Amino acid sequence: MTTNDFHQRPLSQRPETAASISQRPESAPFDPVALALAPERALSETAMLFALLDRWVDRGWLRSLDRAFAAFLRREVPDAPPLLLLAAALASHQLGRGHVCLDLQQTLTTPDLALSLPPEGDSLEDPPPLPSRVMAGLDLDVWRSALDRPELVASVLGAGSGPGSSPGNTPLVLAGTGERPRLYLRRYWQHEQDIHTRIGARLAGEADEKAGGQAERQAPDATRLRPILDALFPGRNGANPPIDWQKTACALAVRSRFAVITGGPGTGKTTTVVRLLALLQALALAESGRVEGTANHGALRIRLAAPTGKAAARLNESIAGQVASLDLAGLADDPERLREVIPKDVSTLHRLLGSRPDTRRFRHDRHNPLPLDVLVVDEASMVDVGMMAALLEALPPRARLVLLGDKDQLASVEAGSVLGDLCTRADGGHYTPATAAWLAEATGQPLPETTLAPNGQPLDQAIAMLRVSHRFTAESGIGQLASAINANAEPAAKRQAIGAALRHGFADLSHLKLASDDERGLARLAVTGCPERFPGAEAANAPPVGYRHFLSVMAERRPADDAPQEAFDAWARAVLAAHGDFQLLCALRRGPWGVEGLNERVRDALERERLIDSQQGRQRWYPGRPVLVTKNDYGLGLMNGDIGITLDWPRPDGTLGSEYSRLLRVAFPAGDGTDRIKWVLPSRLQSVETVFAMTVHKSQGSEFTHAALVLPDAPNPILTRELVYTGITRARHWLTLVETGRGQLMDAAQRRVMRVSGLGG
């Protein structure tokens, strides 16, 4: 078995794809009645197992890739037990659902959660045998024994992380404990091991001997930090001012080469990191001394990055504004020089690491590390386990890594929930007496007793949680509803808190209920934003709007055909900014309340209002069509998550002299920290979709002045507390929460995303 596991191969090189299902040699003729009457036979008969997998694939409960992986293993080892092949298919399937591995005991406890049940649009008529029937009599010891095939599965049960527990080249790895075994595809096991090892080394201050580094186990001098922190975070008034968690987080992040700053929206994560960068640069410049004529002598090489182009653009805008207004007096002999060396440009992680076509590997790795001293990654909740492993591998040994993010948001679309796993203990703090004493000396403010723990873990000492929202106050319905959704409370208490927030009459919150066939209600929301549903909206400087707003800006501010390029760039900037004032968000892709259904229904509503003209959907491209990039395009410089607007561009008509014809172009923000506009021909955009509605997953890293979160009318496993919380907190000033049919809000608030991995425990 080679070290390149099945899932790393390009699709064209895999043993089978969905198109070859009918030619599967494993699918020998079988009696469907026998499968229905005795599905447990699939655990002992290979032909019956693949017949069952085929049924699951055809129904959409299992991916064809997962079934193909089991077939691949059987071809490698023809006598592989069906129980092993079933475990392999399910472990593969977990990756598509965001899990890093298959928890065998959890699967036996709740078997039906191992598959994607029910997929969107499934009528559940004439279903195949459920996993709960198939595995009804299966015992953990029996299943674990079936995995005792060293040529396919390496067992490291009970072994610690690190190089000493290497499993060789087997495609599967069995890890965890005897009571709670976890089955991994080898590559994902290795990702977890690498993350464990590299974060642990940074926390311990271990040096890279090959690089000739020296261990840095001592915390920086707290008395030296105190005056700089006091200047960056001026003291609060009163005899017993509340603790400034931003100041504490900034200090904590200086103590080691790995730090996490987490907090909800409006808690000041970006504010904190800007001051952290000022602190680090002030210390570096003071250490090196001034050298005239060399502007950046002694300054740290700091890079800023985010998972998506949209998140990078947002951080860029926020950082630039805060750096420009930051009071640096007293931090350096030359405050303006210090301001110059605080970075403002933000890159995507793919650009930073150097993506290469047709490979998962990046240009920067341990052999070619990133040329930097400090790396700050925003929206870290969106970083999957593979990307985090690659990032840590590419960091120079002595570089500092700071992760920013909201631990309660949705995890990455790909496998893993790295930030959530790292921050499982963040609420309690768990700071040791030594950490608490150092922080008190560095900041002048003691930590609350509730955050102290004599036996705090090393990782706890590197995580700071911001606990005060400066955006959502007690008068904010968005903040109150988000807190109620996110609370760890009993179901009855949680329902009461959510209901109270919705009924209170907050000025920034509207609760709209729509029947499944209420096209007029949906159209009114999409076109106008229903400002009449917000108390006091008429008196607001920027009342809530719908899509009519950006389409009106598009129509009314269009320059004359003979206007200069600068005028069209300014027009595009205005249209893009206006588009960000409203966004429909939804949970699903399919169905009338998913992306596909809502995009079509909203387009029809805008067409009826004569705000767009797509000729009833017959024209794919038309002025006013907003599009979302769904795949990185390095040739065009567009990243997954970028949003552009289709505009009509004048083109001189050579036959008529001064006359102009119209040619469509899609305007995107340049995404490089400037206000430039990138104009792209629609024909060059291969991976885009209309974005009158977008999924909450795609909205991560974005904020909208008015967000309307539309929940579907039927239960679905994707409806979770994290999804609702993330959707709610995409709203900056106004939120419309839309429940359809009987409503699913209360049930979704009780359902948590529980991603299986080995990082959290």
Side-chain angles (χ1 to χ4, degrees), residues 1 24 212 223 232 260 324 343 358 372 382 419 435 521 532 583 600 751:
M1 185 67 59
R24 296 166 177 162
T223 58
L232 288 169
V260 178
D358 302 323
L372 52 78
M382 301 169 65
L419 186 70
T435 299
E532 69 279 1
Q583 182 64 55
E600 184 174 342
R751 187 183 300 117

Side-chain angles (χ1 to χ4, degrees), residues 487-544:
N488 293 317
E490 293 297 322
K494 193 163 191 173
R495 288 175 178 270
Q496 183 177 3
I498 294 172
L502 294 175
R503 292 189 299 268
H504 185 274
F506 287 107
D508 60 346
L509 177 61
S510 169
H511 184 208
L512 177 62
K513 294 187 177 182
L514 294 178
S516 298
D517 58 351
D518 190 353
E519 293 297 327
R520 293 182 60 186
L522 174 64
R524 189 162 54 251
L525 171 66
V527 173
T528 71
C530 295
E532 69 279 1
R533 298 187 59 86
F534 291 87
E538 294 181 359
N541 292 329

Side-chain angles (χ1 to χ4, degrees), residues 98-138:
H99 303 292
V100 178
C101 55
L102 177 73
D103 185 322
L104 299 183
Q105 180 58 61
Q106 182 184 85
T107 301
L108 292 177
T109 303
T110 54
D112 293 342
L113 295 183
L115 297 181
S116 298
L117 301 174
E120 295 176 39
D122 193 330
S123 65
L124 293 181
E125 295 179 1
D126 187 28
L130 292 167
S132 53
R133 285 192 61 203
V134 176
M135 295 186 282
L138 182 58

Side-chain angles (χ1 to χ4, degrees), residues 705-745:
T705 307
H706 177 199
L709 175 60
V710 182
L711 300 180
D713 56 357
N716 193 291
I718 203 171
L719 285 174
T720 62
R721 159 175 150 179
E722 289 82 1
L723 182 139
V724 176
Y725 170 81
T726 302
I728 288 171
T729 54
R730 297 311 88 203
R732 188 183 300 115
H733 296 305
W734 311 95
L735 171 70
T736 298
L737 179 68
V738 183
E739 288 195 87
T740 61
R742 296 183 178 180
Q744 299 296 323
L745 175 63

Side-chain angles (χ1 to χ4, degrees), residues 41 66 88 98 118 197 273 325 353 385 390 505 540 616 634 680 703 717 739:
R41 289 174 54 187
D66 310 323
T197 302
V273 82
S325 61
L353 291 173
V385 67
Q616 287 75 48
Y634 297 100
V680 182
E703 287 183 345
E739 288 195 87

Side-chain angles (χ1 to χ4, degrees), residues 15 65 336 340 367 424 456 489 509 548 734 744:
L65 171 64
E336 291 310 308
E340 290 175 2
H367 304 296
T424 53
L509 177 61
R548 173 183 285 160
W734 311 95
Q744 299 296 323

Side-chain angles (χ1 to χ4, degrees), residues 187-398:
R187 177 159 53 91
Y188 290 87
W189 180 88
Q190 191 63 57
H191 287 334
E192 278 199 358
Q193 294 297 100
D194 292 344
I195 293 171
H196 267 300
T197 302
R198 292 191 167 107
I199 289 180
R202 291 179 179 281
L203 292 174
E206 295 176 4
D208 185 341
E209 295 180 1
K210 293 181 180 178
Q214 300 296 318
E216 301 178 46
R217 297 181 183 277
Q218 299 298 319
D221 185 358
T223 58
R224 185 183 173 198
L225 294 179
R226 177 69 179 273
I228 305 177
L229 286 169
D230 286 346
L232 288 169
F233 298 91
R236 301 182 181 182
N237 299 323
N240 295 301
I243 186 171
D244 187 338
W245 287 106
Q246 294 181 13
K247 186 177 185 181
T248 296
C250 189
L252 200 65
V254 177
R255 296 185 81 234
S256 73
R257 287 181 283 137
F258 176 78
V260 178
I261 299 175
T262 185
T267 53
K269 295 185 291 294
T270 305
T271 299
T272 303
V273 82
V274 168
R275 284 156 175 75
L276 171 63
L277 299 180
L279 169 61
L280 292 172
Q281 290 290 36
L283 291 172
L285 292 176
E287 186 72 25
S288 65
R290 297 185 61 194
V291 176
E292 296 296 334
T294 307
N296 289 349
H297 179 79
L300 297 171
R301 298 169 299 169
I302 300 177
R303 295 294 303 272
L304 309 175
T308 67
K310 187 68 174 179
R314 271 195 56 226
L315 180 62
N316 189 294
E317 180 181 355
S318 179
I319 289 275
Q322 293 200 35
V323 170
S325 61
L326 191 61
D327 184 3
L328 299 175
L331 269 69
D333 294 336
D334 186 348
E336 291 310 308
R337 179 176 171 229
L338 174 58
R339 195 184 314 277
E340 290 175 2
V341 295
I342 301 175
K344 308 170 192 65
D345 295 336
V346 186
S347 169
T348 65
L349 288 174
H350 283 86
R351 281 187 180 131
L352 177 76
L353 291 173
S355 293
R356 299 187 299 177
D358 302 323
T359 177
R360 293 179 182 271
R361 302 296 301 175
F362 293 97
R363 185 165 55 87
H364 289 288
D365 55 19
R366 65 181 179 276
H367 304 296
N368 180 30
L370 291 162
L372 52 78
D373 301 304
V374 180
L375 174 62
V376 176
V377 179
D378 194 21
E379 296 291 352
S381 64
M382 301 169 65
V383 181
D384 62 86
V385 67
M387 176 59 79
M388 185 61 72
L391 191 64
L392 286 164
E393 179 189 0
L395 280 179
R398 295 173 65 86

Side-chain angles (χ1 to χ4, degrees), residues 12 72 89 144 202 267 293 377 441 451 544 551 575 604 639 706 719-720:
S12 61
F72 164 72
R144 199 172 56 217
R202 291 179 179 281
T267 53
V377 179
E441 187 176 3
T451 65
L551 292 169
V575 175
D604 290 345
M639 295 294 110
H706 177 199
L719 285 174
T720 62

